[in-house]
Amino acid sequence: MSLRSIDASLTEDSAILDSIGRSLATTVDGVNALATSFANDAVFARNLADAVTLIADRNGRVVVSGVGKSGHIGRKIAATMASTGTSAYFVHPTEASHGDLGMITSDDLLILLSWSGETVELGNMLAYAQRFKVPVISLTSNRDSLLARHSTVPIVIPKVNEACPHGLAPTTSALLQLAVGDALAIALLERRGFSAEDFKTFHPGGKLGAQLLLVGELAHRSDAMPLLPLGAQMGQALIEMSSKGFGVVGVVGKDGKLAGVITDGDLRRHMSDGLLQQTVEAIMSVKPRVISPQLLASAAMQVMQSSKVTVLFLVDETETPVGILHIHDLLRAGVA
């Protein structure tokens, strides 16, 4: 490659990086404008809160619609709501005008997205909503638009510069619509007290489903747990540790509570000619780290990684061991 080719390549790379930098900066400016509007515009903040209340108090479903990029964002908003406890689905306005309006009942609610607020294809949905008294929440940048004026709750997003240098391709504007939609979905989630266990119901498959498993579902129980009572000899501990294959033994008191654990590391630290004649309480580590059976598998993985351990005992509210979990159990389940 000649020097001239190298110079040309560097110039081209610089132009690309400059373009990416401008787009990211424009995006950040747009998000900042949205946050500023929320903090300083009482009407904007009030309408967001009213939208959450309106959705939460409806008995029907949330029907989301939009055209073009607004439609793509609308699909994502509907999907996020549906997966976080708010019954929602997307209807394309053209399909709505050809029969799908029949899917919308008077118990439902519409969320309509249009940056200009003048999208012609949404006209029939607005007319239908007015006829059957279906509430409308709009996401637009034009408070004087047809859409905003005919909405029960108009959410007027601040006008921002698009990352597109021609100001034509919806970029920053689409991101702000998405941000508002996500904010509504999360506010609804928190208002309903939607828990991680509820989340698991809607996400049973894949990596996310694995992370939402409870450790109690993955743990080894009953006779699989390596346990010995206080007073047992270390010779018994070695046999129990080897036979159960976890590299650890739990020691329980007469009350059934977990009094301590003996690990491979404990054995190495106390290695001597008289090790086998000692009792387990002389070797065990007291106050071992334990977890609840109700802990999420993803959280258990974090505990193991931060504590640099590979095995954890599960104990109930009385501190009685009810299971044992190895990091391999988490990895086999797809938690990583």
Side-chain angles (χ1 to χ4, degrees):
M1 181 181 292
S2 67
L3 289 175
R4 180 174 296 179
S5 298
I6 293 174
D7 290 342
S9 177
L10 290 174
T11 300
E12 182 178 355
D13 288 346
S14 179
I16 292 172
L17 293 174
D18 286 345
S19 175
I20 293 172
R22 285 194 304 273
S23 294
L24 293 176
T26 303
T27 298
V28 170
D29 289 343
V31 173
N32 286 336
L34 184 64
T36 299
S37 184
F38 176 74
N40 300 326
D41 186 340
V43 174
F44 179 63
R46 180 70 262 165
N47 284 356
L48 285 170
D50 287 346
V52 172
T53 301
L54 183 60
I55 295 170
D57 290 346
R58 298 297 291 180
N59 294 322
R61 298 163 297 177
V62 174
V63 182
V64 187
S65 190
V67 177
K69 302 302 182 293
S70 291
H72 293 304
I73 297 301
R75 289 181 188 276
K76 197 279 181 183
I77 292 172
T80 299
M81 286 187 172
S83 69
T84 53
T86 299
S87 181
Y89 65 97
F90 179 85
V91 172
H92 194 281
T94 301
E95 297 299 328
S97 297
H98 290 272
D100 282 357
L101 281 173
M103 300 167 63
I104 305 170
T105 74
S106 57
D107 290 329
D108 295 335
L109 176 147
L110 293 177
I111 296 181
L112 303 181
L113 287 77
S114 170
W115 192 247
S116 68
E118 300 291 348
T119 302
V120 175
E121 292 90 339
L122 293 176
N124 288 336
M125 298 191 76
L126 274 176
Y128 182 90
Q130 288 186 328
R131 178 182 177 186
F132 293 98
K133 296 180 171 55
V134 179
V136 175
I137 296 171
S138 60
L139 271 63
T140 180
S141 68
N142 186 357
R143 68 177 66 254
D144 298 320
S145 64
L146 179 71
L147 178 59
R149 287 187 284 108
H150 289 84
S151 295
T152 312
V153 180
I155 298 176
V156 181
I157 303 171
K159 293 182 179 180
V160 293
N161 292 327
E162 302 285 9
C164 169
H166 309 298
L168 299 175
T171 46
T172 313
S173 58
L175 178 68
L176 297 194
Q177 287 178 322
L178 179 59
V180 170
D182 283 345
L184 295 177
I186 299 305
L188 287 162
L189 175 154
E190 294 179 348
R191 177 181 169 124
R192 291 193 171 101
F194 192 80
S195 67
E197 184 65 20
D198 296 322
F199 205 87
K200 176 189 170 186
T201 302
F202 297 111
H203 302 79
K207 183 178 177 64
L208 183 55
Q211 291 177 326
L212 292 170
L213 288 170
L214 301 180
V215 292
E217 301 175 69
L218 301 174
H220 305 268
R221 297 176 177 270
S222 304
D223 293 339
M225 291 189 292
L227 296 173
L228 286 174
L230 286 169
Q233 298 293 309
M234 280 303 299
Q236 295 174 269
L238 286 175
I239 293 172
E240 185 77 358
M241 186 182 293
S242 300
S243 63
K244 299 298 173 63
F246 289 100
V248 65
V249 173
V251 181
V252 295
K254 292 181 180 180
D255 57 3
K257 295 182 180 181
L258 187 68
V261 297
I262 299 171
T263 66
D264 290 333
D266 294 322
L267 293 179
R268 289 191 295 271
R269 284 188 290 273
H270 293 86
M271 189 64 67
S272 68
D273 293 338
L275 174 64
L276 298 183
Q277 283 70 50
Q278 297 193 60
T279 58
V280 289
E281 55 262 41
I283 305 300
M284 71 182 188
S285 299
V286 297
K287 296 182 179 179
R289 183 178 292 277
V290 295
I291 56 175
S292 164
Q294 301 305 312
L295 189 69
L296 288 175
S298 56
M301 176 66 82
Q302 292 177 348
V303 172
M304 288 185 176
Q305 291 175 334
S306 62
S307 304
K308 298 182 180 179
V309 298
T310 57
V311 179
L312 289 169
F313 275 98
L314 283 61
V315 298
D316 61 17
E317 61 276 4
T318 67
E319 299 181 19
T320 300
V322 294
I324 187 170
L325 183 75
H326 196 283
I327 194 170
H328 290 165
D329 300 319
L330 296 173
L331 295 176
R332 277 193 294 269
V335 183

